[in-house]
Amino acid sequence: MEKILITGGSGFIGSNLVKYIHKNKPDWHIFNLDALTYAGNPRNHQALENDSRYRFIHGDITDSALLKKIFTEHEFDGVFHLAAESHVDRSISGPEVFLTTNVMGTFKLLEAGLNHTRNHPGKAFKFVHVSTDEVYGSLGFDEPAFTEETAYDPSSPYSASKASSDHFAKAYHRTYGLPVVVTNCSNNYGPYQFPEKLIPLIILNILDGKALPVYGKGENVRDWLYVEDHCEALVRAFEKGNPGETYNIGGGEEKNNLQVVHALCDLVDQKTGRKKSSRELIRFVKDRPGHDIRYAINSDKTEKSIGFKARFSFEKALSKTIDWYLDNMDWTRSVQTGEYQQWIQKQYSS
Ligand code: NAD
Ligand code: DAU
């Protein structure tokens, strides 16, 4: 039985990763450490509450004493580190927590991993540090996609904090030999994404007949990756990745924001039988400061070395994503109204 620690397992990607591993790795025991910030929702794993292969640990990655306790108690075979503050706009209005969680929290977790390997010499261990393509900065429209060799050039406080955490992760490998693998992926979408990010925000605003805010002229390009593809890549990075290496993970689906919003309008209209086109709700609003114009990932190394290639097309997976939100309106409404936070309060205040 592999004992795997997933940090941030109640957030968007973490929730999908917990489910993916639970389904595809029957001999792995999952420990989910999550502080349940606004972005964490323990209800995502209600079905696993009494499952012998899943355990939820409510706690903060900046809490060294807690990390020491759980590493000693469970002797993890590996870590998937996803806990983070993840929203660029929030990092612009309030950067400090991004340093605390993304930089300091990662440092504390690396320390805990290092102590663990020192206490168990010879025991297999791997630390997958989950990061973003935003660390590479902004690409021009004619420039080649980011490779693992692209120099770091972060634009936002979010991407600067992730870049810093990547450097610490690499440094812990080079200096202390901690078996760290760094993954840098593009924009994820799919079930359980908090409706502050473009795709779920637009879906829900269409359903509510609200304005659809498009920053600037909607020309910024992102490389969209379906979250299930990302989960597969992370498991491959854990199983096959070489310590000290970086693996870029992209969906190979570059779209500008206006194309994404148009696709969402047309698909939601089709699925809900809405007569008047939702495109009429589009509003071009003030641009995000420091808004990177384009991200695109070259995944050649990842494909060759760990055998990962995205399988989901944007069209099909976008349609699946909309279906998930339409079928799970109770989840969506409890997140929109903040009701899930009251549930967390009741559950965890003692
Ligand atoms: P998210 O915001 O949906 O979830 C983050 C999770 O981390 C939440 O459950 C939250 O409660 C938890 N958390 C926050 N601070 C914590 C702390 N101090 N201690 C313990 N838990 C804490 O984020 P996401 O979109 O799922 O992203 C997960 C990871 O993937 C992040 O590291 C992010 O930088 C990276 N990433 C995300 C994307 C994307 O498109 N969403 C793309 C590239 C990389
Ligand atoms: O590239 C990976 C990154 O993708 C991750 O590291 C981040 O955690 C994740 O949040 C995401 O960052 P983005 O800033 O690209 O995602 P977001 O959904 O916020 O925005 C996507 C694009 O849509 C971006 O160009 C800004 C634009 N946008 C966003 C919102 C919320 C709008 O035009 N209107 C909006 O209301």
Side-chain angles (χ1 to χ4, degrees), residues 13 85-89 131-135 158-159 162 185-188 193 195-202 205 212-216 218 220-224 257-258 261 285 287-288 291-293 295:
I13 300 172
E85 287 296 330
S86 69
H87 193 41
V88 173
D89 292 329
S131 190
T132 170
D133 58 0
E134 299 204 9
V135 298
Y158 163 70
S159 50
K162 292 298 287 188
C185 74
S186 56
N187 286 60
N188 283 222
Q193 188 165 30
E196 63 187 351
K197 308 282 164 60
L198 181 70
I199 287 182
L201 176 85
I202 296 295
N205 280 14
L212 311 179
V214 174
Y215 297 165
N220 303 63
V221 170
R222 298 292 183 261
D223 173 352
W224 293 96
N257 293 337
L258 201 53
V261 174
V285 299
D287 209 352
R288 173 187 279 173
H291 196 175
D292 290 333
I293 190 71
Y295 304 140

Side-chain angles (χ1 to χ4, degrees), residues 149-273:
E149 307 306 320
T150 304
Y152 275 31
D153 187 20
S155 303
S156 70
Y158 163 70
S159 50
S161 71
K162 292 298 287 188
S164 171
S165 70
D166 292 8
H167 290 320
F168 272 100
K170 287 276 182 92
Y172 267 62
H173 172 70
R174 285 193 205 162
T175 309
Y176 307 112
L178 186 70
V180 174
V181 166
V182 176
T183 61
N184 294 85
C185 74
S186 56
N187 286 60
N188 283 222
Y189 64 105
Y192 300 105
Q193 188 165 30
F194 195 84
E196 63 187 351
K197 308 282 164 60
L198 181 70
I199 287 182
L201 176 85
I202 296 295
I203 296 173
L204 300 191
N205 280 14
I206 295 172
L207 295 176
D208 290 340
K210 287 189 186 160
L212 311 179
V214 174
Y215 297 165
K217 294 183 180 155
E219 289 170 339
N220 303 63
V221 170
R222 298 292 183 261
D223 173 352
W224 293 96
L225 172 68
Y226 189 56
V227 66
E228 191 178 323
D229 272 332
H230 186 202
C231 293
E232 184 197 331
L234 292 178
V235 170
R236 283 178 182 268
F238 176 76
E239 292 184 320
K240 300 185 179 192
N242 281 329
E245 295 281 330
T246 292
Y247 298 95
N248 280 354
I249 305 166
E253 292 277 15
E254 283 189 59
K255 309 276 171 219
N256 75 32
N257 293 337
L258 201 53
Q259 288 173 313
V260 172
V261 174
H262 280 162
L264 287 168
C265 288
D266 298 350
L267 277 168
V268 174
D269 288 352
Q270 216 180 75
K271 286 174 192 287
T272 58

Side-chain angles (χ1 to χ4, degrees), residues 29-51:
H29 190 127
I30 304 160
F31 294 81
N32 168 17
L33 171 64
D34 200 298
L36 301 181
T37 67
Y38 79 94
N41 191 340
R43 277 175 157 180
N44 298 353
H45 301 308
Q46 242 172 342
L48 294 179
E49 253 167 29
N50 298 314
D51 191 290

